């Protein structure tokens, strides 16, 4: 009997121990499942946000327009120099861009390029376009049409939208030393916003002209087409 009682106690003890372990495991699993359920919506939201396509670049805000106008006024007396320096920097950092400019294609001496009359004239034309864009910042429809037409012209020039970003980057790098202490992070953000907008709308104009040249009906052309993935000018 003593043996049976002792065996029974041991069996009961094992049963209790197993139940306790099972209960602990069940509790732990329940907490883990609850935690996963709480995390899943957050992960799903994050995944959804990560896969949403970016919207088309927007025109500068009112405060950004003011910063662009004010900084442009400070540059006006130097636009000829800015235009030349910008393009010399462009050809130095991205020599493949010279393929678009057949008159500069074989010029390897960047110092001589600075004195090239054709480069000076082209630099002024680009600066003139920027000046017109700045002057029309308050007239978004007029500004948009101006940029669309520039994109159409660039299709005829065989100037691919992939080059537009480089111009904006080099413009910003060029004007910083001219503005010195007037150049702030807010001014830089404002110009970057403008160039992103210019590049997106120019790309749309380029694609519209390309479609028209290929006999594609553009009557229902999506105004947002070509904006996603567009680089800054």
């Amino acid at each position: 009997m003593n043996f049976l009682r002792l065996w029974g106690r041991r069996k009961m003890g094992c049963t209790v121990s197993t139940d306790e372990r099972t209960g602990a495991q069940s509790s732990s699993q329940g907490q883990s499942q609850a935690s996963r359920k709480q995390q899943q919506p957050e992960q799903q939201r994050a995944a959804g946000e990560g896969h949403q396509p970016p919207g088309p670049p927007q025109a500068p805000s009112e405060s950004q327009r003011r910063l662009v106008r004010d900084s442009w006024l400070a540059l006006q007396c130097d636009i000829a120099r800015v235009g030349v320096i910008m393009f010399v920097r462009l050809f130095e950092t991205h020599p493949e861009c010279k393929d678009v400019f057949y008159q500069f294609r074989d010029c390897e001496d960047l110092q001589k390029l600075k004195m090239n009359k054709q480069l000076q004239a082209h630099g002024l034309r680009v600066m003139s376009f920027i000046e017109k864009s700045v002057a029309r910042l308050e007239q978004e429809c007029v500004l948009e049409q101006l940029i669309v037409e520039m994109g159409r012209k660039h299709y005829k020039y065989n100037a691919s939208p992939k080059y537009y970003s480089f111009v904006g980057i080099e413009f910003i790098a060029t004007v910083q030393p001219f503005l010195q202490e007037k150049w702030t992070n807010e001014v830089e953000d404002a110009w970057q916003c403008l160039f992103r907008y210019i590049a997106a709308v120019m790309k749309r104009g380029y694609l519209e002209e390309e479609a028209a040249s290929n006999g594609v009906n553009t009557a229902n052309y999506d105004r947002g087409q070509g904006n996603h993935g567009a680089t800054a000018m």
Side-chain angles (χ1 to χ4, degrees), residues 9 16 29 37 50 59 62 66 83 91 133 142 160 165 167 169 176 178-179 188 191 199 201 206 215 223 228:
R9 287 173 186 165
V16 171
Q29 289 174 353
K37 287 180 180 178
E62 182 178 352
R66 184 178 63 254
F91 295 149
S133 299
V142 178
S160 170
S165 61
V167 176
I169 291 169
Q176 283 181 280
F178 284 88
L179 292 178
E188 182 168 346
W191 278 105
V201 179
Y206 178 100
R223 292 171 64 83
H228 303 316

Side-chain angles (χ1 to χ4, degrees), residues 8-147:
R9 287 173 186 165
R10 285 181 180 175
K11 183 175 180 181
M12 291 175 64
C14 290
T15 303
V16 171
S17 176
T18 301
D19 289 344
E20 288 175 350
R21 286 198 300 270
T22 303
Q25 289 173 354
S26 299
S27 176
S28 176
Q29 289 174 353
Q31 291 175 355
S32 177
Q33 289 174 353
S35 177
R36 283 198 297 270
K37 287 180 180 178
Q38 290 176 351
Q39 291 174 359
Q40 281 175 352
E42 296 178 2
Q43 292 170 348
Q44 290 170 354
R45 284 196 299 271
E49 291 171 359
H51 287 83
Q52 289 178 354
Q58 301 298 311
S61 65
E62 182 178 352
S63 61
Q64 289 176 323
R65 293 196 298 266
R66 184 178 63 254
L67 290 170
V68 167
R69 283 195 302 270
D70 291 346
S71 55
W72 179 258
L73 287 174
L75 287 170
Q76 278 188 323
C77 60
D78 291 308
I79 58 173
R81 289 175 57 203
V82 169
V84 171
I85 294 172
M86 178 181 68
F87 271 96
V88 170
R89 285 180 57 95
L90 177 65
F91 295 149
E92 184 177 23
T93 55
H94 300 283
E96 67 273 19
C97 290
K98 287 199 295 183
D99 292 339
V100 180
F101 303 92
Y102 67 90
Q103 60 268 57
F104 315 135
R105 193 172 299 164
D106 299 324
C107 184
E108 300 295 337
D109 190 332
L110 295 178
Q111 293 303 315
K112 286 184 179 180
L113 199 56
K114 288 181 181 180
M115 307 305 297
N116 187 294
K117 297 298 183 184
Q118 291 176 312
L119 179 64
Q120 293 172 3
H122 187 74
L124 276 175
R125 283 195 295 272
V126 172
M127 299 303 286
S128 175
F129 169 72
I130 296 174
E131 184 174 40
K132 290 177 183 177
S133 299
V134 172
R136 290 160 177 77
L137 284 173
E138 300 298 335
Q139 304 168 283
E140 190 168 332
C141 290
V142 178
L143 173 62
E144 182 181 10
Q145 188 57 38
L146 173 73
I147 301 170

Side-chain angles (χ1 to χ4, degrees), residues 164-199:
Y164 302 165
S165 61
F166 305 147
V167 176
I169 291 169
E170 298 308 332
F171 173 86
I172 289 173
T174 299
V175 300
Q176 283 181 280
F178 284 88
L179 292 178
Q180 297 179 4
E181 71 278 359
K182 294 180 181 179
W183 187 265
T184 64
N185 290 335
E186 291 74 19
V187 171
E188 182 168 346
D189 289 343
W191 278 105
Q192 286 178 342
C193 179
L194 176 59
F195 277 113
R196 282 195 298 268
Y197 178 72
I198 289 174

